[in-house]
Amino acid sequence: MFRFFNASGRFGKTQVFAVLMIFANLLVAGSETIGRREVASMLKTLDSELENREVYISRRRTSIDSLKNVLKCSSISSDDRLSTLLMLGDMYNAYNTDSAVSIYDKGASLARDLKQDSVAVRFELRRLTYLPLLAFISQAEDELSRIDFRSLPKGLQEEYFDAARQMYFYIAAYYVNYPDVYDRYMAKSHDAQKSLIGHLEGGSPRYGRILLL
């Protein structure tokens, strides 16, 4: 289910972009493949979000506050601190993208200081996934290009291609009125998706979900 609201319960810049991105891609798909039923379904989803935003925001705030309290504990181990930062970033990423990117950046820096390079890459992949939503397109592409997926362990290779798939999709949405550029980034997104599928276990739930995207 899509989440579009910021901490105040109003649409923020990132949330507005997410809404526009979805409908832009509906338009690009063309009237032959996108009918009234699909559009009505999208509008119903948005209506549901409007109706449930206060409950969603309250629960999200409670979870975020709990994780922040954990991070304030001086006795927390380095590994637990990194795990908590990752969870906090994930709590923020569909709620407040600016904060999510900031948290991922802190996690990556801490992991590098602790010489936990694989953990740092995990934070960096999360960060670059969402940078395009803040209009940092070139930075996102540069960060992805600096990561050699061949040097990553298998689990992180999956995360690499998943991050690339989403990042290129978000970038493509900026160029919906420029078909050549849009198609180029969507092709990159699809290529990353194919690579991701090649790293997943056939028949697994995630394999099935990715095939439907």
Side-chain angles (χ1 to χ4, degrees):
M1 183 173 288
F2 302 106
R3 301 297 187 187
F4 298 127
F5 299 96
N6 58 25
S8 66
R10 299 188 297 272
F11 280 103
K13 291 186 293 183
T14 301
Q15 290 75 24
V16 169
F17 175 76
V19 176
L20 294 175
M21 179 179 65
I22 290 168
F23 281 100
N25 281 281
L26 284 176
L27 292 174
V28 168
S31 59
E32 292 182 1
T33 56
I34 301 297
R36 292 182 180 179
R37 182 176 299 177
E38 287 81 1
V39 174
S41 177
M42 290 296 297
L43 291 173
K44 185 177 180 180
T45 297
L46 291 175
D47 286 342
S48 176
E49 293 296 329
L50 284 166
E51 293 172 359
N52 296 309
R53 70 184 183 277
E54 293 302 330
V55 173
Y56 166 74
I57 290 170
S58 177
R59 290 177 178 173
R60 224 6 110 113
R61 282 175 176 165
T62 298
S63 297
I64 287 172
D65 288 343
S66 296
L67 291 171
K68 285 183 175 180
N69 286 333
V70 172
L71 291 171
K72 291 178 182 178
C73 181
S74 60
S75 62
I76 185 175
S77 69
S78 297
D79 287 345
D80 286 343
R81 185 173 296 278
L82 287 170
S83 296
T84 303
L85 281 169
L86 190 65
M87 287 189 287
L88 182 58
D90 290 346
M91 273 290 167
Y92 268 127
N93 69 25
Y95 171 73
N96 185 323
T97 308
D98 299 85
S99 294
V101 168
S102 177
I103 294 296
Y104 292 142
D105 189 54
K106 290 179 181 177
S109 295
L110 177 59
R112 292 293 182 193
D113 290 343
L114 296 171
K115 309 301 182 185
Q116 297 193 35
D117 292 341
S118 292
V119 178
V121 169
R122 176 167 284 117
F123 278 104
E124 290 163 358
L125 288 171
R126 293 283 215 287
R127 179 180 62 201
L128 67 85
T129 298
Y130 298 99
L131 281 175
L133 294 178
L134 301 176
F136 294 113
I137 293 174
S138 295
Q139 181 179 340
E141 292 187 277
D142 288 344
E143 290 190 9
L144 183 68
S145 69
R146 290 198 294 268
I147 299 174
D148 181 6
F149 77 88
R150 291 164 296 189
S151 67
L152 302 177
K154 184 179 185 300
L156 270 182
Q157 287 185 6
E158 294 176 9
E159 293 188 36
Y160 173 91
F161 289 116
D162 198 23
R165 175 185 65 82
Q166 294 183 70
M167 184 197 77
Y168 285 129
F169 176 80
Y170 292 147
I171 294 174
Y174 273 97
Y175 299 104
V176 67
N177 291 321
Y178 302 89
D180 290 343
V181 182
Y182 174 87
D183 289 344
R184 185 167 71 248
Y185 279 111
M186 285 303 294
K188 290 184 176 183
S189 180
H190 291 151
D191 286 344
Q193 180 176 324
K194 290 176 183 177
S195 296
L196 172 60
I197 290 173
H199 283 75
L200 297 177
E201 181 181 350
S204 67
R206 191 179 182 202
Y207 182 90
R209 289 196 299 272
I210 294 296
L211 282 178
L212 293 175
L213 294 176

